[in-house]
């Protein structure tokens, strides 16, 4: 099928950047991103590119280049589905917060609603592409909804999982290691392959069956997260010995079979994918009664929770076992640098733990506002919204944030943190002034020379 119009349902971290790049590289295809969230669509259409709902290096430039030409943002979901030959589903698939599989399985209600919406309004044949990360065999559910419309419309379902990492999404999309397309119909697979073929070499476009494609996505994330939990486990051992985790990571990473990537010891991984995808894998394994397999992968999550808890426990015990009424400055709230995404960010859990000890928290993140910080804490439901609002304040300047603070906790590895006037920060803090570097981005000797009590992960 020749593709002239593409519809993407869901204008989020996956849909936005992916469609922007597809539009840029395929000027002859009209790409429309639709969303039920009107506020989001208005933001995507804002003249002021700094107001785009998603921050991602290089994204604003591509939107500026393509928006209004062949890239459009709209709330006209039905109309756009109707006119398009290919429809991407890029809606959110959060972990279920209720019922069977609570806390483990993916909540597929948004995906199902999309499938029903497509089934209802389509009058011509469509290729439906699942882009959201989905548990294995979701395509089956989408298929069964689409094939039971009673209409004379044919649907082909493809799985095309996203491997982009936030903060480097545009680079990852422009230069992917591989593009994975899973499907039954060769014609449908080739239609999508030709869209990517505009800029991705054919040998990097991998064709598989639907189930392999779905499982590959979960597995890739589980393997990456496993490396972080492995090095984080070693970071604790380093703290009890004379070993330095950066040196250990470098030494083992130089073995080309292991490789240097994903060996940065940290406060623990966050983001919308790793935890969710591993929980999914664990859930699927358990549902087949493969308990040893489930336990094995679950341990990656357990170690990650342990790492976050260990960081806040250490902070509290260092501050003489009490943080009650003390101002703790948190630098960074996003789950990693170069994104405004905060889903599953370690900062949320560390803050929550410190709030249980009645700390006063001051937050500064270059791309995350107070509304988001409050919403993240309220979502945990640990205390009332009023209490969160009382105890947690956000600032737009790191110097204000750290004024009169007892300690600074570095939660995100934003580059700008390294450029601060740390002496100025030191002078306005309570003494002794502590830094807990959850990302190992500052220099220990330099900080100690200024006067800080400095500690980092695994050193
Ligand atoms: C991840 C996968 O990398 C991507 O392929 C997939 O499509 C989606 O999930 P993302 O969540 O955007 O991408 O970020 P990633 O760079 O993988 O980092 C995840 C978390 O691990 C972050 O909190 C990051 O700070 C942490 N991390 C990463 C470490 O703590 N140490 C490392 O060495 C690498
Ligand atoms: P991701 O990281 O997977 O892109 P996001 O939460 O950033 O997740 O984006 C998902 C988007 O999908 C949200 O903007 C949400 O409003 C939108 N969405 C969810 N369900 C539907 C639906 N049935 N129709 C249209 N948009 C939807």
């Amino acid at each position: 099928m020749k593709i002239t119009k593409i519809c993407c349902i869901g204008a989020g971290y996956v849909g936005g950047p992916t469609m922007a790049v597809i539009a840029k590289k395929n000027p002859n295809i009209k790409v429309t991103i639709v969303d039920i969230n009107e506020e989001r669509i208005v933001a995507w259409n804002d003249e002021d590119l700094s107001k785009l709902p998603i921050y991602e290096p290089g994204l604003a430039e591509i939107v500026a280049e393509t928006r209004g030409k062949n890239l459009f943002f709209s709330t006209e979901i039905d109309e756009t589905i109707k006119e398009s030959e290919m429809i991407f589903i890029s809606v959110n698939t959060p972990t279920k917060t209720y019922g069977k599989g609570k806390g483990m399985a993916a909540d597929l209600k948004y995906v199902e609603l999309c499938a029903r919406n497509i089934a209802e309004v389509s009058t011509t044949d469509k290729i439906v592409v699942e882009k959201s990360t989905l548990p294995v065999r979701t395509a089956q559910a989408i298929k069964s909804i689409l094939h039971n419309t009673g209409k004379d419309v044919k649907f082909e379902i493809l799985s095309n999982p996203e491997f982009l990492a936030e903060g480097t999404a545009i680079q990852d999309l422009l230069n992917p290691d591989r593009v994975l397309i899973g499907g039954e119909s060769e014609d449908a697979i080739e239609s999508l392959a030709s869209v990517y073929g505009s800029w991705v070499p054919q040998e990097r476009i991998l064709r598989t069956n639907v189930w392999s494609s779905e499982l590959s996505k979960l597995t890739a994330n589980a393997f990456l997260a496993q490396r972080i939990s492995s090095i984080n486990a070693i970071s604790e051992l380093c703290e009890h010995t004379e070993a330095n985790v950066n040196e250990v990571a470098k030494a083992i990473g130089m073995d080309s079979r292991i490789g240097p990537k994903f060996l940065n010891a940290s406060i623990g991984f966050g983001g919308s994918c790793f935890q969710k995808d591993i929980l999914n894998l664990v859930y699927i394994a358990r549902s087949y009664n493969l308990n040893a397999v489930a336990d094995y992968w679950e341990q990656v999550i357990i170690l990650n929770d342990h790492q976050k808890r260990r960081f806040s426990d250490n902070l509290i015990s260092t501050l003489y076992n009490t943080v009650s009424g003390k101002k703790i400055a948190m630098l960074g709230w996003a789950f990693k640098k170069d994104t405004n995404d905060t889903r599953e960010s370690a900062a949320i859990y560390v803050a929550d733990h410190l709030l249980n000890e009645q700390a006063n928290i001051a937050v500064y993140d270059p791309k995350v506002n107070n509304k988001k910080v409050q919403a993240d804490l309220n979502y945990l439901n640990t205390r009332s919204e009023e209490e969160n609002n009382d105890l947690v304040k956000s600032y737009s300047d790191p110097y204000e944030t750290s004024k009169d603070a007892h300690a600074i906790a570095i939660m995100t590895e934003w580059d700008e943190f390294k450029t601060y006037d740390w002496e100025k920060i030191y002078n306005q803090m309570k003494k002794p002034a502590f830094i807990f570097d959850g990302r190992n981005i500052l220099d220990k000797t330099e900080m100690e020379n200024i006067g800080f009590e400095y500690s980092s992960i695994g050193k």
Side-chain angles (χ1 to χ4, degrees), residues 8-17 34-38 40 44 54 77 90-94 109-115 117 131-133 166 272-273 276 341 343:
C8 170
I9 309 181
Y13 284 92
V14 172
V34 296
D35 204 299
I36 34 170
N37 183 337
E38 201 178 332
R40 229 178 195 188
W44 277 111
I54 281 159
I77 302 180
S90 297
V91 300
N92 36 336
T93 49
K109 72 176 171 206
Y110 303 109
V111 173
E112 183 175 336
L113 278 171
C114 279
N117 200 348
K131 191 84 200 159
S132 323
T133 309
E166 290 174 31
S272 68
C273 285
K276 187 178 82 177
D341 193 354
R343 284 175 288 182

Side-chain angles (χ1 to χ4, degrees), residues 156-412:
E156 286 298 343
I157 293 104
L158 298 177
S159 156
N160 172 222
E162 193 44 76
F163 291 105
L164 63 84
E166 290 174 31
T168 52
I170 299 298
Q171 273 317 313
D172 295 345
L173 282 160
L174 288 173
N175 218 335
D177 287 346
R178 78 308 204 186
V179 168
L180 187 52
I181 303 177
E184 272 172 7
S185 143
E186 206 172 303
D187 188 43
I189 292 176
E190 291 317 313
S191 297
L192 181 55
S194 78
V195 172
Y196 284 107
S198 302
W199 78 98
V200 181
Q202 280 303 320
E203 65 274 13
R204 285 203 212 155
I205 303 178
L206 217 62
R207 288 111 166 135
T208 67
N209 77 33
V210 180
W211 321 120
S212 305
S213 166
E214 288 180 332
L215 187 58
S216 299
K217 166 71 193 205
L218 294 191
T219 310
N221 278 342
F223 270 60
L224 291 172
Q226 181 202 32
R227 285 172 68 93
I228 303 172
S229 279
S230 299
I231 197 72
N232 282 346
I234 299 303
S235 77
E236 189 168 17
L237 189 57
C238 287
E239 287 164 29
H240 290 272
T241 58
E242 297 283 296
N244 170 325
V245 75
N246 284 6
E247 293 175 356
V248 175
K250 190 166 177 201
I252 64 164
M254 282 174 78
D255 185 325
S256 62
R257 293 161 303 176
I258 295 175
K261 292 182 184 157
F262 277 78
L263 286 177
N264 291 324
S266 69
I267 192 165
F269 57 76
S272 68
C273 285
F274 283 177
Q275 164 136 331
K276 187 178 82 177
D277 291 354
I278 298 174
L279 287 172
N280 255 312
L281 204 57
V282 172
Y283 187 71
I284 294 165
R286 284 224 200 284
S287 71
Y288 288 111
N289 253 329
L290 308 176
N291 287 318
V293 177
D295 290 347
Y296 174 81
W297 287 107
E298 195 162 31
Q299 197 58 39
V300 176
I301 302 278
I302 292 173
L303 204 286
N304 198 47
D305 288 338
H306 170 71
Q307 188 78 349
K308 292 181 266 187
R309 174 54 71 131
R310 204 162 80 68
F311 182 84
S312 40
D313 280 347
N314 176 37
L315 191 152
I316 295 162
S317 69
T318 310
L319 293 187
Y320 319 107
N321 284 320
T322 174
V323 288
S324 175
K326 289 181 180 167
K327 180 175 175 182
I328 312 292
M330 290 178 82
L331 294 185
W333 190 264
F335 81 98
K336 66 182 219 180
K337 73 172 181 180
D338 291 339
T339 178
N340 62 345
D341 193 354
T342 64
R343 284 175 288 182
E344 291 299 329
S345 178
I348 304 169
Y349 297 94
V350 170
D352 186 56
H353 190 195
L354 296 177
L355 289 171
N356 285 341
E357 298 292 325
Q358 301 177 342
N360 290 320
I361 295 186
V363 180
Y364 168 72
D365 186 290
K367 292 287 174 197
V368 180
N369 61 25
N370 192 45
K371 199 170 141 199
K372 195 79 179 284
V373 171
Q374 296 293 333
D376 287 338
L377 288 168
N378 293 337
Y379 186 75
L380 293 182
N381 230 344
T382 323
R383 63 192 72 71
S384 71
E385 297 193 4
E386 290 71 31
E387 278 177 282
N388 282 332
N389 210 5
D390 257 9
L391 292 169
V392 183
K393 303 267 177 267
S394 298
Y395 297 82
S396 51
D397 159 39
Y399 300 97
E400 276 295 302
T401 313
S402 51
K403 193 164 183 294
D404 293 325
H406 289 257
I408 290 177
I410 295 181
M411 311 308 295
T412 312

Side-chain angles (χ1 to χ4, degrees), residues 27-63:
N28 297 326
I29 299 181
K30 178 184 174 196
V31 180
T32 309
I33 310 183
V34 296
D35 204 299
I36 34 170
N37 183 337
E38 201 178 332
E39 205 185 320
R40 229 178 195 188
I41 292 298
V42 168
W44 277 111
N45 281 320
D46 205 306
E47 280 296 307
D48 178 356
L49 291 167
S50 71
K51 300 244 169 67
L52 296 186
I54 281 159
Y55 172 71
E56 194 59 68
L59 174 62
E61 289 80 352
I62 298 184
V63 170

